[in-house]
Amino acid sequence: MSKSRRKHSWRCCALTEAITSLYIHIPFCASKCFYCDFNSYVASEAVRAQYVDDLIGELKNLKRWYSAERSVEPLQTIYVGGGTPTMLSAREFERIAEAIHGQFALASDLEWTVEANPGTTEPDILRAMKEMGVNRVSIGTQTFNETLLLSIGRLHSPEQTRISVERAYAAGIKRVSLDLMLGLPDQTLVDVEDALSQALATGVSHVSAYGLKVEENTPFFSWEKKGFLHLPDEELQVAMYERVRERLIDAGFLHYEVSNYAKPGEESRHNLTYWRNRPYFAAGAGAHGYTGEMRYENMRSLSAYHHACQSGARPIEQEYPVSLQEAMENEMMLGLRLTEGVSDRSFFERFQASIEQVFKPECERLLKLGVLTHRDGVWRIPEQHVEVANEIYAEFVGIHT
Ligand SMILES: C[S@@+](CC[C@H](N)C(=O)[O-])C[C@H]1O[C@@H](n2cnc3c(N)ncnc32)[C@H](O)[C@@H]1O
Ligand code: SF4
């Protein structure tokens, strides 16, 4: 594998590209699910209220800190994730939204998504969201099996998922996505079939189906080490993945990213920003942003974040410049997750270099193995190899140090 150091000057258009996406993190949950290592805390109303003030302070500075001399075009996408954003009161959500409206121009076809947990979708918060411009919700469903929900630490019932979807529609939010999880302890193919039937019955236009990752510092991690978790074997996990794909494609969904399915035109434009390696602002404790020149990660701890915001400082835990090599590797690693793949033309436009030159040995090897294709100027991972996709992406990362 090539370890050559490349001498390109880093003048790709990402540097001058306007930042038109914004991620906002709401780090609160009613309790912690047993598998989850997202930055979220069980906190009092007073702590949540303080956080909203801090976040608004950060939002007011974002453009000044991160867009440098770049022209700031209207935001095309906003994503409010968590944690559980729907734990905010309607007024708190409105205050955050007012700060966004006050700071940014918003595109007329803005996509604005909020993550919602079943059981926290009161009509008043959904109404406030809709009134402030939210037009898409992503509901953390995981499974429709009541016992399984309990065993992974979820607080809601399957019925509450259905109610959340109905309430979103009733509030006028027409684009709804459901998150499902695969490979849960003791989950069967029948559970997955049932989750798909029930998800489809709600009429949603987008489904994400994530394979469980056992993350460090979670109860699942220590239970697995002690041998208490009965995870489906690899064969069953692959069967689940394939069943999801078959059922959703039969129902008219496009499999547009490894874990994501959408009715035509219903893809998450915000998440496409990440996979297409485009820049985005990020605000909130533990949020990660990308300006095109550097990546930054905000402080995870609520008190550290609070103190930084109070003093008007950037609440940064770390930031680092993105080298040309890293940007090109990310372009491949992220872009190959998409069915649309990575095109020679867009890569060349961004980096003034060709994929075949930059990643010559990797491309040759993967093409020969049949786990990468190159047709009509587009590089893709063939569907039958998507399950080994992580190993394929890894080929493109950290090779030019
Ligand atoms: C940002 S999380 C949280 C969304 C929301 N708080 C919820 O749980 O309903 C978005 C999704 O990531 C998925 N997820 C979280 N932790 C995971 C893990 N360890 N492995 C696989 N998927 C995970 C879940 O499907 C979850 O709905
Ligand atoms: S999965 Fe969602 S609800 Fe559960 S702890 Fe993580 S962020 Fe909170």
Side-chain angles (χ1 to χ4, degrees):
M1 198 171 285
S2 159
K3 294 271 178 200
S4 64
R5 187 179 290 274
R6 279 160 212 276
K7 295 277 180 209
H8 294 282
S9 64
W10 182 211
R11 289 174 54 77
C12 92
C13 62
L15 273 180
T16 51
E17 207 166 26
I19 306 176
T20 58
S21 290
L22 168 66
Y23 174 77
I24 293 182
H25 193 70
I26 306 296
F28 303 115
C29 288
S31 71
K32 282 296 286 188
C33 305
F34 303 149
Y35 53 83
C36 179
D37 77 338
F38 282 86
N39 192 38
S40 74
Y41 307 91
V42 178
S44 66
E45 271 180 38
V47 170
R48 298 205 295 263
Q50 180 61 66
Y51 181 80
V52 171
D53 288 343
D54 296 337
L55 178 64
I56 290 171
E58 189 190 4
L59 282 170
K60 289 188 174 157
N61 283 309
L62 270 189
K63 274 199 307 194
R64 185 165 63 81
W65 286 333
Y66 296 115
S67 61
E69 295 121 40
R70 219 167 321 183
S71 66
V72 175
E73 290 172 15
L75 288 182
Q76 299 289 334
T77 70
I78 303 173
Y79 196 105
V80 184
T84 306
T86 42
M87 272 187 79
L88 296 173
S89 70
R91 184 61 204 134
E92 285 168 338
F93 185 83
E94 282 164 359
R95 288 188 56 221
I96 295 168
E98 281 159 8
I100 296 172
H101 283 276
Q103 295 301 313
F104 296 92
L106 305 182
S108 56
D109 62 344
L110 171 80
E111 174 190 277
W112 187 341
T113 306
V114 176
E115 280 180 353
N117 282 39
T120 63
T121 49
E122 293 308 313
D124 65 335
I125 179 109
L126 291 168
R127 259 197 313 272
M129 281 160 42
K130 166 72 181 163
E131 271 164 29
M132 297 311 289
V134 173
N135 48 26
R136 187 172 181 275
V137 291
S138 172
I139 299 176
T141 306
Q142 322 315 351
T143 165
F144 283 86
N145 176 324
E146 188 126 36
T147 314
L148 214 45
L149 282 170
L150 277 173
S151 73
I152 62 174
R154 302 290 293 183
L155 295 180
H156 57 87
S157 65
E159 186 55 20
Q160 282 171 310
T161 293
R162 286 186 279 271
I163 291 170
S164 297
V165 179
E166 279 161 23
R167 283 183 179 166
Y169 290 149
I173 301 175
K174 301 293 179 219
R175 298 182 65 195
V176 179
S177 176
L178 298 185
D179 288 341
L180 299 177
M181 289 178 75
L182 310 176
L184 294 171
D186 299 314
Q187 193 178 29
T188 64
L189 211 47
V190 174
D191 292 323
V192 172
E193 287 278 6
D194 175 62
L196 289 164
S197 302
Q198 307 232 30
L200 289 170
T202 63
V204 296
S205 56
H206 190 283
V207 174
S208 304
Y210 299 113
L212 172 71
K213 268 173 69 187
V214 177
E215 306 277 7
E216 261 181 75
N217 302 319
T218 61
F220 268 17
F221 188 78
S222 50
W223 296 343
E224 194 194 22
K225 273 204 344 212
K226 292 179 188 145
F228 296 164
L229 275 194
H230 305 121
L231 297 175
D233 62 25
E234 214 171 304
E235 199 180 326
L236 182 51
Q237 287 178 37
V238 170
M240 288 175 175
Y241 180 88
E242 282 171 358
R243 194 60 57 89
V244 169
R245 183 178 147 79
E246 283 160 15
R247 285 286 304 273
L248 292 177
I249 287 178
D250 275 357
F253 285 71
L254 304 173
H255 186 192
Y256 73 103
E257 193 270 346
V258 178
S259 308
N260 285 277
Y261 299 81
K263 289 277 176 74
E266 291 295 316
E267 295 87 349
S268 163
R269 283 166 51 208
H270 184 87
N271 289 338
L272 282 170
T273 307
Y274 302 148
W275 297 316
R276 290 177 179 155
N277 198 25
R278 304 291 138 149
Y280 52 92
F281 293 111
H288 295 232
Y290 175 42
T291 67
E293 297 148 288
M294 57 155 196
R295 290 194 181 268
Y296 66 90
E297 185 186 334
N298 274 356
M299 294 159 169
R300 286 172 69 88
S301 122
L302 294 186
S303 64
Y305 178 78
H306 168 63
H307 288 116
C309 289
Q310 281 287 300
S311 63
R314 286 165 62 197
I316 291 284
E317 192 137 311
Q318 53 171 325
E319 63 177 321
Y320 60 93
V322 177
S323 67
L324 170 64
Q325 289 93 325
E326 199 177 343
M328 291 191 296
E329 288 167 6
N330 286 341
E331 189 93 358
M332 296 304 290
M333 182 184 73
L334 295 165
L336 287 175
R337 298 187 65 88
L338 295 169
T339 309
E340 71 183 24
V342 184
S343 85
D344 287 325
R345 198 164 63 98
S346 74
F347 189 93
F348 193 86
E349 275 169 12
R350 297 194 91 193
F351 303 109
Q352 293 87 51
S354 92
I355 294 174
E356 242 159 341
Q357 278 167 12
V358 177
F359 299 106
K360 194 167 190 297
E362 295 76 30
C363 289
E364 279 175 6
R365 209 169 77 74
L366 296 172
L367 283 170
K368 210 160 153 194
L369 287 171
V371 295
L372 186 68
T373 63
H374 187 211
R375 281 194 204 108
D376 304 323
V378 180
W379 299 82
R380 292 191 181 89
I381 297 180
E383 179 50 42
Q384 69 271 26
H385 296 300
V386 166
E387 69 229 32
V388 291
N390 284 339
E391 289 148 50
I392 302 172
Y393 312 138
E395 288 285 313
F396 291 96
V397 182
I399 54 182
H400 300 133
T401 51

